[in-house]
Amino acid sequence: MNYKGIILPHHFYADFVVLGKIILEVKAVSAISDEFVAQAINYLKVSQNKLALIVNFGEHKLTYKRIVL
């Protein structure tokens, strides 16, 4: 992981990276929490991608959040 020109020994593992540009996080929870949004923002920052989608299958209907940097 490269952060501000410094190589960090950590790895991030997004659920999916679509077309090499979109971070896709798939959840099955009662609600999308701020923790999931923060995680997606971190993934965007370290990957230098601009769009993340958090898709939640755990509610009565499909819900999602779109995060754009």
Side-chain angles (χ1 to χ4, degrees):
M1 177 185 314
N2 184 339
Y3 179 72
K4 295 185 179 181
I6 300 169
I7 303 298
L8 301 175
H10 305 287
H11 300 280
F12 82 93
Y13 298 101
D15 290 343
F16 299 95
V17 180
V18 181
L19 300 172
K21 297 180 181 182
I22 302 168
I23 303 292
L24 175 61
E25 286 293 306
V26 178
K27 307 294 182 192
V29 294
S30 60
I32 297 172
S33 69
D34 291 340
E35 178 182 344
F36 298 139
V37 173
Q39 178 187 39
I41 290 169
N42 285 332
Y43 287 171
L44 286 173
K45 287 181 179 180
V46 299
S47 69
Q48 298 180 348
N49 290 335
K50 302 290 183 214
L51 175 63
L53 297 173
I54 305 170
V55 180
N56 184 19
F57 292 92
E59 298 182 53
H60 292 293
K61 63 178 185 172
L62 179 77
T63 59
Y64 69 95
K65 283 203 181 229
R66 182 176 72 147
I67 299 117
V68 180
L69 288 185

